[in-house]
Amino acid sequence: MPESNALSPWDPVSRLKGVGPKTGAKLAAAGVTRVVDLILHLPHRYEDRSQVVSLRRPLAADRWVMVRGTVRSVRIWRAARRRMRIVAGVVEDGEGSIGVVWFNQPWVKRRLAQTGVVSLYGPVRRGRGEVLQLVNPDITDVEQDDDQQIVPVYSSLAGIGGKRLRGLIKQCLGALEGCSDPLPDVLRRRFALPELRECLRELHAPVPPGEETDRVRYAAGLNSHRAAAHRRLAFDELLAFACGMEEWRSQREGLTSPVCHIDTESRHAMRSILPFELTEAQQRTVEEIVLDLERPIPMARLIQGDVGSGKTAVAALAILMMVEAGHQAALMAPTELLAEQHVRTLQPMFSRVGCDVDLLTSSLPAAEHRRVRRGLEDRSISLVVGTHALFQEAVRFSDLGLVVVDEQHRFGVVHRQALVEKGVAPNVLVMTATPIPRTLALTVYGDLDVSLIDQLPPGRRPVTTVVRSPRDTSRLYNFLRSELAEGGRAYLVYPMIDGNDDLEVPALENRRGVVEAELPGVNIGVLHGRLSRAEREEMSRGFARGDLQALLATTVVEVGIDVPEASVIVIEGPERFGLSQLHQLRGRVGRGNRRAWCVLLADDSIGEDARRRLDVLCETSDGFEVAEADLALRGPGELTGTRQWGPGSFRFADLVRDQALVRDARAVAGEWSASSRIDALRDGLARYHPMASAVPSG
Ligand code: ADP
Ligand code: MG
């Protein structure tokens, strides 16, 4: 292939075979536009298909195995109760045999008829009568690509399935040569970090061992390689972040910010827009903000407060002060759903002082997007709510005085963007999604002043939290029926939208039929990230109004959604979430005066540790306690729940597991900040980790 045609990591994904405009748009929505963005989508596990097991001896239950043979006696039938089609047969490898079954994959029958010997990869489970069988195994033709390999498994992205992604990412590996290492040798040596290209190759394309005898040793070695590769990516990401913070700090020192003078009139306006009295803790936070805003030094304040403590109300007052003083204010939310809700909350408040609230997200119609951009530029709009689309290139503010960053966004991005043009820095107020243990807050938000809202609005009762088995849900549905009949509303939350037709998986689409059948006469809505903006808007409005009494949802309802009548939240597969994330989900109920419940539907098989973690939630309703317990209970090396604290955009780093790396990264950024070399380091890292760095990708 001629040099100019070689794939580069910086090429658009549209250069890949099989990525047309439709797939391209889906990927872009998930933040994947360049080949390198796909390369950084790492496998979450591996399937070792390099070793074919013999059927001569019985297989161990619950192990995943690779079997090679012919499937005979294939039958297909319909299971009456669960409306499901079942294909079953017997696989024989010449030495022995085992039963095999596929649920809800009727096409398998024809697939098997077309081939002779196949490779089957899947789990061995105990079926009816304790008989071992292979369940829902993946079928590949012998000699095909996946056969005899260690196969990386990717989680789906923007509705593109893992298998398809594997094909796309495989193409991307041709671009690995172009992934030059942003870390200079001295740093790699100092922290014993492997080379970037090596890491990426190891993670996406691990090589199976040649010698049977080396297998065990190799397997151990392979794991430590992968761990080193992960550690390397986590370090890069943290260093990108630390360099951005360092730069922000040095820039901020010489800047001035728009100022407010808070007089009796503005205090009167502040009182008039809220339908309730502030709690003491809210009042204290407002006063801290007043002091900040009266000074020409850019405010950089973090509001920490438990779920439901009323952070939004405080933010609304800060916005009001700024707008009354004649400057613009922007409120940035982590999701479109939340941005839309903020508009609904703020509109009635600000209409009392004659101020409009506009929405700016990337899914707005082009004309509306243009209108809002123009309004921000010519200053006819003074308050805008949006997602990160707010700080994209085409958006220019004429006089941005305050940015409120709701929940988990990275404030650095905002700051730098706003700085570029004017040399004037807006005031920044960050609200955290979840209480952060103090030790972590210091490492991540070390440069911010902190206000603490340590009090809930009056009349709140703690949410009663219980763990129940998903096997016996008749009592749960009885309870739901009566609670909904009395005017309550319920969320039912699932860890994923669909489970590839495997009804064992607690996925929303797998449960929908059952829930509808169990709750006759109840209007049930569905809310997840794959719906269009209009559909989401309709569902959340419907639920908020009470037209819908139950909402089946994914974790899109995790942050911020505020419906005071919601009284029950049922979470299936809770062991798949982090504790703080569960606390955050639980915070969706008990926001009004109704008594509220949180039901965690956890299988007995989740194990003792997972069970202990869930017990923490049953025992305390204090978010700080939950966070501390989570920190204490999570062992090092645990990969789940990485994203629940603070900045939502660390993809590889885990602030708990990687505390030592956080310190190293900060130290390096500090040492290098005085020299001009930090620019090259920062820019190099930012190309790979644009979201972690304070530098938007260009
Ligand atoms: P969070 O801190 O989770 O963002 P919100 O700002 O969404 O909390 O507030 C949660 C709910 O409590 C909202 O319905 C809000 O209107 C209400 N609320 C906030 N402050 C008060 C208060 N001082 N008195 C009564 N209700 C309040
Ligand atoms: Mg909130």
Side-chain angles (χ1 to χ4, degrees):
M1 211 193 275
E3 188 64 41
S4 60
N5 276 342
L7 194 63
S8 145
W10 321 111
D11 281 342
V13 283
S14 58
R15 278 207 61 190
L16 301 173
K17 273 192 228 78
V19 179
K22 220 169 128 196
T23 308
K26 278 191 194 168
L27 287 171
V32 172
T33 55
R34 308 165 305 161
V35 167
V36 67
D37 299 329
L38 267 183
I39 294 180
L40 291 176
H41 185 65
L42 301 182
H44 61 92
R45 64 181 175 90
Y46 298 84
E47 293 179 347
D48 184 354
R49 303 187 181 194
S50 63
Q51 193 182 13
V52 178
V53 302
S54 156
L55 295 175
R56 179 154 31 163
R57 268 169 304 186
L59 301 176
D62 296 323
R63 251 191 68 197
W64 286 65
V65 294
M66 174 89 163
V67 169
R68 177 167 304 165
T70 321
V71 185
R72 301 194 199 283
S73 327
V74 179
R75 294 160 297 143
I76 183 163
W77 74 92
R78 197 180 285 274
R81 204 173 151 259
R82 294 171 81 185
R83 285 186 286 172
M84 173 168 55
R85 296 227 270 168
I86 298 177
V87 178
V90 175
V91 52
E92 298 172 355
D93 70 352
E95 304 196 291
S97 64
I98 185 172
V100 54
V101 60
W102 286 270
F103 296 106
N104 248 9
Q105 302 176 44
W107 62 88
V108 162
K109 183 160 189 276
R110 192 168 339 138
R111 171 82 169 78
L112 290 171
Q114 285 162 357
T115 34
V117 179
V118 288
S119 297
L120 299 177
Y121 181 84
V124 179
R125 305 266 192 234
R126 257 178 233 290
R128 202 172 300 164
E130 296 292 286
V131 180
L132 289 176
Q133 54 183 10
L134 208 52
V135 178
N136 288 336
D138 216 37
I139 310 171
T140 42
D141 293 319
V142 173
E143 306 301 325
Q144 198 195 298
D145 260 6
D146 287 351
D147 197 35
Q148 298 259 291
Q149 299 286 330
I150 291 179
V151 180
V153 181
Y154 300 91
S155 49
S156 59
L157 189 65
I160 301 173
K163 277 196 193 164
R164 181 142 175 247
L165 276 175
R166 186 192 299 160
L168 294 178
I169 291 170
K170 206 163 190 180
Q171 288 183 58
C172 294
L173 298 187
L176 273 185
E177 270 320 300
C179 290
S180 54
D181 201 316
L183 274 196
D185 287 347
V186 313
L187 288 180
R188 278 214 310 274
R189 271 199 305 274
R190 175 166 155 199
F191 298 107
L193 295 164
E195 208 265 333
L196 182 65
R197 262 181 293 245
E198 264 168 47
C199 293
L200 294 170
R201 198 168 287 125
E202 184 62 47
L203 289 165
H204 289 292
V207 185
E211 294 287 318
E212 183 77 16
T213 46
D214 278 349
R215 199 175 292 279
V216 174
R217 204 162 1 123
Y218 182 84
L222 188 69
N223 286 335
S224 70
H225 271 119
R226 280 188 215 138
H230 265 286
R231 183 166 166 268
R232 162 73 210 256
L233 290 172
F235 181 78
D236 284 16
E237 196 176 32
L238 291 167
L239 187 56
F241 178 60
C243 288
M245 290 260 275
E246 206 46 62
E247 187 192 27
W248 176 47
R249 203 215 319 266
S250 62
Q251 280 181 331
R252 190 175 152 220
E253 275 159 13
L255 289 167
T256 52
S257 64
V259 171
C260 302
H261 296 287
I262 318 295
D263 51 21
T264 11
E265 208 173 307
S266 36
R267 293 218 174 248
H268 179 74
M270 277 159 61
R271 261 194 305 278
S272 76
I273 70 163
L274 291 181
F276 43 71
E277 293 286 318
L278 291 181
T279 61
E280 253 171 64
Q282 284 172 316
Q283 190 64 48
R284 201 171 54 231
T285 303
V286 168
E287 291 310 322
E288 285 166 352
I289 293 171
V290 167
L291 289 180
D292 285 345
L293 294 184
E294 286 184 332
R295 272 197 306 246
I297 302 160
M299 169 171 79
R301 181 167 294 278
L302 172 74
I303 305 185
Q304 278 232 66
D306 206 345
V307 192
S309 61
K311 297 182 286 283
T312 315
V314 170
L317 295 184
I319 290 171
L320 181 68
M321 293 180 226
M322 211 23 91
V323 170
E324 291 274 288
H327 304 290
Q328 292 172 309
L331 169 55
M332 177 160 137
T335 63
E336 299 203 346
L337 197 70
L338 208 51
E340 290 152 16
Q341 175 186 277
H342 278 315
V343 172
R344 287 196 296 274
T345 318
L346 295 180
Q347 220 142 33
M349 295 185 191
F350 281 81
S351 69
R352 293 195 192 120
V353 291
C355 172
D356 282 334
V357 183
D358 281 281
L359 177 72
L360 189 66
T361 62
S362 44
S363 63
L364 283 188
E368 175 65 3
H369 205 275
R370 243 188 335 269
R371 180 189 73 78
V372 177
R373 272 185 349 237
R374 208 172 304 127
L376 291 172
E377 217 166 325
D378 69 16
R379 236 167 157 222
S380 56
I381 292 179
S382 43
L383 170 50
V384 67
V385 178
T387 52
H388 59 278
L390 275 177
F391 291 92
Q392 273 157 8
E393 259 172 76
V395 183
R396 288 200 183 2
F397 290 85
S398 110
D399 175 25
L400 183 59
L402 171 69
V403 181
V404 178
V405 185
D406 187 13
E407 316 290 359
Q408 60 214 53
H409 260 290
R410 181 57 52 62
F411 59 93
V413 179
V414 179
H415 246 274
R416 182 171 163 100
Q417 272 287 3
L419 287 171
V420 178
E421 283 149 41
K422 330 180 131 339
V424 174
N427 298 286
V428 174
L429 190 61
V430 184
M431 305 193 279
T432 57
T434 312
I436 307 173
R438 248 164 261 284
T439 46
L440 290 185
L442 275 179
T443 50
V444 182
Y445 292 116
D447 295 358
L448 301 184
D449 301 318
V450 178
S451 295
L452 194 63
I453 308 187
D454 51 2
Q455 186 181 22
L456 295 180
R460 296 281 172 77
R461 275 183 290 183
V463 179
T464 308
T465 304
V466 293
V467 181
R468 292 284 180 266
S469 161
R471 295 188 191 280
D472 176 25
T473 46
S474 58
R475 277 178 57 204
L476 172 67
Y477 285 114
N478 278 337
F479 166 68
L480 281 176
R481 278 189 294 268
S482 74
E483 178 63 19
L484 298 185
E486 283 165 22
R489 271 168 235 169
Y491 295 101
L492 292 96
V493 179
Y494 304 91
M496 58 199 95
I497 303 176
D498 46 32
N500 294 331
D501 300 306
D502 180 354
L503 290 185
E504 304 272 307
V505 177
L508 190 154
E509 289 300 341
N510 290 351
R511 296 294 185 266
R512 195 169 173 173
V514 178
V515 176
E516 282 167 355
E518 292 281 359
L519 302 177
V522 172
N523 292 321
I524 300 173
V526 174
L527 191 62
H528 55 69
R530 238 190 268 159
L531 301 180
S532 71
R533 184 171 104 79
E535 291 167 317
R536 285 199 313 262
E537 180 73 356
E538 191 188 318
M539 292 293 176
S540 357
R541 272 185 201 277
F543 190 67
R545 266 199 313 255
D547 302 344
L548 301 170
Q549 295 95 45
L551 204 53
L552 306 191
T554 57
T555 50
V556 293
V557 300
E558 174 186 337
V559 281
I561 301 295
D562 185 33
V563 176
E565 293 82 1
S567 53
V568 185
I569 185 164
V570 179
I571 304 170
E572 192 163 343
E575 72 282 2
R576 294 165 189 252
F577 301 110
L579 267 193
S580 295
Q581 196 179 9
L582 288 170
H583 177 68
Q584 186 63 229
L585 279 167
R586 168 170 72 174
R588 296 314 105 214
V589 299
R591 301 172 76 82
N593 293 325
R594 281 191 83 88
R595 178 136 195 241
W597 287 268
C598 169
V599 183
L600 306 171
L601 281 185
D603 212 280
D604 294 335
S605 65
I606 62 170
E608 221 171 285
D609 288 352
R611 182 65 202 223
R612 236 196 336 267
R613 285 155 43 100
L614 298 183
D615 286 342
V616 171
L617 283 180
C618 301
E619 283 153 20
T620 179
S621 56
D622 179 321
F624 286 94
E625 268 178 44
V626 171
E628 297 288 352
D630 205 359
L631 182 59
L633 287 173
R634 294 168 71 198
E638 200 173 328
L639 281 164
T640 54
T642 350
R643 248 146 265 193
Q644 49 189 322
W645 279 313
S649 32
F650 286 127
R651 295 174 62 191
F652 309 107
D654 178 323
L655 298 180
V656 177
R657 183 194 59 198
D658 299 327
Q659 287 184 64
L661 285 185
V662 173
R663 274 193 299 276
D664 291 344
R666 283 180 70 112
V668 169
E671 290 162 22
W672 285 44
S673 66
S675 91
S676 55
R677 290 183 306 167
I678 196 170
D679 294 338
L681 181 62
R682 188 195 59 231
D683 294 349
L685 289 166
R687 281 186 104 183
Y688 290 94
H689 306 284
M691 283 307 285
S693 120
V695 187
S697 62

